[in-house]
Amino acid sequence: MGIFSGRRFFVYGNGVSGKAAYRALKKSGGKVKIYADARGGFCAPPEKDYYAAIVSPGIRPEHAVFEYCDSRGILVMSEAELGFKLAKGETVAVTGTNGKTTTTRLIADMLGGVACGNIGYPVSAAAVKTDKTLVCELSSFQLRFARGIRPNVAVITNIAEDHLDYHGSVEEYWKCKCSVANEMRGGYLVLGEDIPVSALASLKTGAEIVRCSLDGKVDGAYIEENYFCFNGKRVCHTDYLRLQGRHNIKNALCAIAAAKCMGAENTSILAALSSATAAPHRICDIGFARGKKWIDDSKSTNVASCLAAVSATEGTLCLITGGRNKGLDFDGLFSALDKRVTAVIAMGESAQEIRDCAAKYGVTARVLVVDCLADAVKSAADTDADTVLLSPACASFDEFNSYAERGEKFKAEVGALK
């Protein structure tokens, strides 16, 4: 017997999250089958009395499965929401445009919990396996249909424009981010400092707000005299943070605030900060070739994360950017581009769009358009920059299946130069 005993579900999408949802529902007593698109398109489940449909986050909002559910009054639920319903212990939900993975991993280490969700381990899989605290990274895709997520602590690391091709508007994207806390009737909501006030317009939460700041004392986590502090008390010296860059200090503040709200001891926080490692393909030094340092930041899929990577990198830079645009414009990149960037190589589907935007800011002479990543690496090797930074500010799906595959290809091409 389980909490879904006798209830009928269908899961749409047979990827990692879909299969995890299927197994979790079966283990919890549900009646469930998986469906996915056939060659002819939408594969309609048979007409039955369904309690809910679990739709995988990769399925776009215009897909026929949503009309099917809407016309029949079938509740649509995300795999992540299913995981929260099945969780045996306390939960922390982490979302934001950037910094989600790093913050999630830090909090899990501080609490002795399990990192899951968009980090690569489905929430529902973790929920049926452990009673430890679940620290769940949640994307806007996972939150779009979530109506029952009520964590003990929610975290919004920051909010910038992203995924507009999926959500249709920046307001809808912001709304999805804020929904992480809208069902909370208590607990705490940790807000990072890079959140526009307008982005919180749809926020209606019963959680207590906890702030984070690099530059001043707040009710929450902040820095004072080179110490991480929380609510007027020192936690540990900032030198204990192993991760480099201003953006990682902000991530650490969000993690400290969440961990403190969950009752973590300073010793556990210090241990997590001092042993932290960068997420794969996020500002990772992959060595020297052709007299240059090469850095893999393939995880950057928006302008804000690209600018953070540029800021965290020393010396003169050749920036490799481009891929599949997600409905974003590149004005924010070229209006704020550091003068240390002496060359920009634009690749893939968005290459010409990037070049056109660069022209508006008078940097066309420094922009080279290429077709693919392999050509970008070869061209970057011929520049006079100290460092080559792959930070695409775009999705990878024009040439690769994921940012991870793109990053591995980058490392292989750099290795060939050596």
Side-chain angles (χ1 to χ4, degrees), residues 136-377:
C136 313
E137 177 186 327
L138 301 178
S139 71
S140 59
F141 301 167
Q142 292 170 304
L143 290 168
R144 186 172 185 271
F145 294 102
R147 299 293 180 270
I149 290 180
R150 292 179 180 173
N152 298 90
V153 176
V155 181
I156 304 177
T157 58
N158 48 63
I159 297 181
E161 290 188 3
D162 203 1
H163 299 299
L164 302 192
D165 59 332
Y166 181 95
H167 293 287
S169 70
V170 67
E171 290 79 14
E172 183 61 28
Y173 172 68
W174 290 345
K175 182 179 178 182
C176 288
K177 290 298 184 186
C178 289
S179 70
V180 73
N182 281 350
E183 296 298 318
M184 294 175 69
R185 302 293 179 264
Y188 301 91
L189 170 60
V190 175
L191 296 179
E193 64 178 351
D194 295 327
I195 302 177
V197 174
S198 55
L200 300 175
S202 65
L203 180 64
K204 298 178 177 63
T205 183
E208 181 179 336
I209 304 296
V210 178
R211 301 281 179 176
C212 299
S213 175
L214 252 70
D215 302 316
K217 193 171 183 178
V218 294
D219 291 332
Y222 56 94
I223 292 175
E224 188 174 66
E225 296 179 352
N226 295 319
Y227 277 83
F228 288 115
C229 300
F230 183 77
N231 283 350
K233 295 182 179 180
R234 288 181 173 181
V235 176
C236 68
H237 200 280
T238 55
D239 283 351
Y240 281 105
L241 177 61
R242 185 177 176 185
L243 300 173
Q244 301 298 307
R246 184 179 174 87
H247 64 291
N248 276 322
I249 299 176
K250 294 178 181 180
N251 294 336
L253 285 169
C254 288
I256 289 168
K260 276 297 183 182
C261 288
M262 293 288 287
E265 297 291 337
N266 290 353
T267 51
S268 298
I269 292 172
L270 186 155
L273 294 177
S274 60
S275 63
T277 56
H281 308 291
R282 181 60 175 143
I283 318 183
C284 294
D285 186 342
I286 59 174
F288 282 84
R290 300 281 285 270
K292 307 178 191 307
K293 179 188 288 188
W294 297 75
I295 295 179
D296 170 18
D297 189 43
S298 181
K299 200 173 192 295
S300 164
T301 60
N302 57 64
V303 168
S305 61
C306 179
L307 288 172
V310 170
S311 176
T313 307
E314 297 179 348
T316 57
L317 299 177
C318 171
L319 174 64
I320 299 176
T321 189
R324 176 164 294 174
N325 194 2
K326 299 182 287 182
L328 310 177
D329 66 56
F330 297 100
D331 287 82
L333 175 61
F334 288 103
S335 63
L337 197 61
D338 195 302
K339 288 183 171 58
R340 293 180 299 109
V341 179
T342 57
V344 177
I345 298 177
M347 63 182 180
E349 288 181 4
S350 62
Q352 193 57 53
E353 185 181 356
I354 291 170
R355 182 179 176 85
D356 292 344
C357 185
K360 293 193 295 184
Y361 294 91
V363 294
T364 309
R366 292 187 283 147
V367 180
L368 175 65
V369 171
V370 298
D371 290 330
C372 61
L373 180 58
D375 290 344
V377 170

